[in-house]
Amino acid sequence: MLSDQIKQHLNDNDLLFNSQYGFRSCHSCESALHDFLSDMNKLLSERKIGLYFFIDFRKAFDLVPTDILIFKLKYGYGFDDDSIKLLTDYFKNRSQFVKIGNIISIICQVLLGVPQGSVLGPLLFLLFINDLPYFLKMFLSILFADDTTLAQSSDDYDSLLKKFYNSIGNLTKWCRFNKVDINWKKSEIMFISNKQNTIIPEFIDIDGNQVKVVSEFKLLGIIIDNKLNFKSNTTKIKRSINIRLYAIQKLFQLPLAVKIQFLKTFILPYFDYCATLCIYFPKSIIQKLANLYNNCIFKLLDVKSIRDSIINSSDDFNKWNSLLEKYGLNGFQHRLIIRLAIYIQKIFCYTNSPSKLANCFTVNNDLNKSYNLRNLLELKIPDKGKYNDYGEDTFEYFFSKFINTVINEIICFRIGKYKRYVKENSNILHLKTLKTFNRFDLKF
């Protein structure tokens, strides 16, 4: 397929921006959010103030100028003449019409945009927007297709705003050159800081456009607030789950197998979506999610009668997990730990995993320092940060420690049937996790 050949060319020559997470093999919303949240916690650890600009491009896919895209493919990405001719022909002679009832509009020629619903369309859009971060070197850029987030930080608000205004002009220049419009009413800015007495305005003026300053923003399905307490996101999950539980409350006569399938199909995806982001959650939020998870099980399965007699300690949580395994389920902590273990193995072992995340780890053996033989294959634990509070809530710190203490060694990633190994040993991994990370030591 043409798209496979293009992907091979991009991978072989490392042409895609390393923080572009959309429509790429082994990349995901989850990885993009790890990049974003880890940066936030590093910033707070350094006692800086950060600005996050969430950009909404107006009808991004539909308004891509195909002539500019073809120009970029030829001169920016090294596509040969035959490829350019083929892609030029791909965009020619496209038309569309609208039908309402029995009324059909006139047929109009499509002059802009990449075709959505195709395999090639999203890939071509990535190539169109791929040069944007290189125009914005003063920003940290994180992209998921057309969801673009820019970040900057400084020691105080005044210097941050000055830095922002000195560099944001490159964004508007790129938009003018590429004939792209920003939807300023839907674009928003969020400041994050643990400094006291910082006065934040309601709007920031960008090129004559008033951009609203918000305290929280929904990014890739997750509500992120400027305090990083994730209360709004947890409330959203709880509300969505309760709606679905209410829909089935009058159907408790259903067979057990049907109720289990309902749980797996309509409830668990809310817990599983970007579940590894729990490493940034306060313990209180993880506890609320655990309570909600158990409540769903109690309402759908007849296990409440044995709950109180067995859940008193971490070993009892393992008994609870073993009971749920009979239904094809896991306890809440076990489910999280399994997902953490499988996710980080993909980051380490998959060739096309996000390079920015994969490259943030350092093996002791590569440091050429004096470590005992036992520690050579372990990962270096990064410094927590000057103030030793938010430093632990970073991707590299948590997973370096998780691999060293829970997985034991990186070499374990190479064992055959790793996923099966993790699931079969979830009780052991659970006990190891509790010894290292207090946030998972929950009450029942």
Side-chain angles (χ1 to χ4, degrees), residues 317-333:
F317 273 100
N318 280 346
K319 295 177 183 177
W320 171 247
N321 180 64
S322 298
L323 170 67
L324 293 179
E325 284 179 341
K326 297 177 182 178
Y327 299 92
L329 302 169
N330 289 103
F332 180 75
Q333 295 102 309

Side-chain angles (χ1 to χ4, degrees), residues 238-263:
K238 184 176 181 179
R239 185 185 301 115
S240 298
I241 289 175
N242 285 339
I243 290 172
R244 279 148 186 80
L245 286 176
Y246 178 79
I248 200 176
Q249 69 176 356
K250 296 182 180 180
L251 302 176
F252 279 97
Q253 72 277 10
L254 290 173
L256 178 61
V258 175
K259 289 192 284 188
I260 291 176
Q261 190 59 47
F262 175 87
L263 178 69

Side-chain angles (χ1 to χ4, degrees), residues 249-377:
Q249 69 176 356
K250 296 182 180 180
L251 302 176
F252 279 97
Q253 72 277 10
L254 290 173
L256 178 61
V258 175
K259 289 192 284 188
I260 291 176
Q261 190 59 47
F262 175 87
L263 178 69
K264 291 180 178 179
T265 305
F266 296 105
I267 301 296
L268 294 187
Y270 287 99
F271 292 102
D272 291 344
Y273 179 70
C274 295
T276 62
L277 299 182
C278 65
I279 70 173
Y280 310 107
F281 293 177
K283 183 176 180 178
S284 59
I285 291 297
I286 299 178
Q287 181 68 66
K288 287 182 179 180
L289 290 172
N291 295 343
L292 180 60
Y293 181 91
N294 290 330
N295 185 51
C296 293
I297 291 177
F298 297 150
K299 286 190 174 183
L300 293 174
L301 308 181
D302 186 20
V303 293
K304 190 172 183 178
S305 58
I306 60 172
R307 175 197 61 178
D308 298 328
S309 61
I310 66 169
I311 311 299
N312 297 309
S313 66
S314 56
D315 288 328
D316 292 337
F317 273 100
N318 280 346
K319 295 177 183 177
W320 171 247
N321 180 64
S322 298
L323 170 67
L324 293 179
E325 284 179 341
K326 297 177 182 178
Y327 299 92
L329 302 169
N330 289 103
F332 180 75
Q333 295 102 309
H334 294 72
R335 193 175 187 88
L336 284 183
I337 293 164
I338 289 171
R339 294 185 72 85
L340 288 167
I342 292 175
Y343 175 79
I344 195 58
Q345 187 251 2
K346 292 179 180 178
I347 297 296
F348 262 90
C349 298
Y350 284 31
T351 304
N352 296 327
S353 64
S355 59
K356 188 173 180 181
L357 298 181
N359 295 336
C360 69
F361 299 103
T362 304
V363 181
N364 286 335
N365 192 40
D366 296 335
L367 295 175
N368 296 321
K369 293 185 178 181
S370 57
Y371 289 92
N372 63 53
L373 293 177
R374 184 179 178 183
N375 295 332
L376 283 176
L377 293 179

Side-chain angles (χ1 to χ4, degrees), residues 55-93:
I55 302 172
D56 183 88
F57 290 112
R58 183 177 284 110
K59 295 186 179 297
F61 282 77
D62 296 331
L63 297 180
V64 171
T66 54
D67 57 336
I68 296 178
L69 172 60
I70 294 297
F71 179 88
K72 290 183 179 184
L73 296 179
K74 183 175 182 178
Y75 297 103
Y77 301 105
F79 283 37
D80 60 28
D81 290 340
D82 289 337
S83 299
I84 293 299
K85 289 178 181 178
L86 179 60
L87 288 168
T88 301
D89 185 68
Y90 175 73
F91 286 110
K92 283 184 177 180
N93 300 320

Side-chain angles (χ1 to χ4, degrees), residues 389-406:
D389 47 7
Y390 293 92
E392 295 187 25
D393 295 332
T394 59
F395 183 86
E396 53 264 49
Y397 184 92
F398 177 89
F399 279 111
S400 294
K401 206 167 184 179
F402 181 80
I403 292 168
N404 287 351
T405 60
V406 180

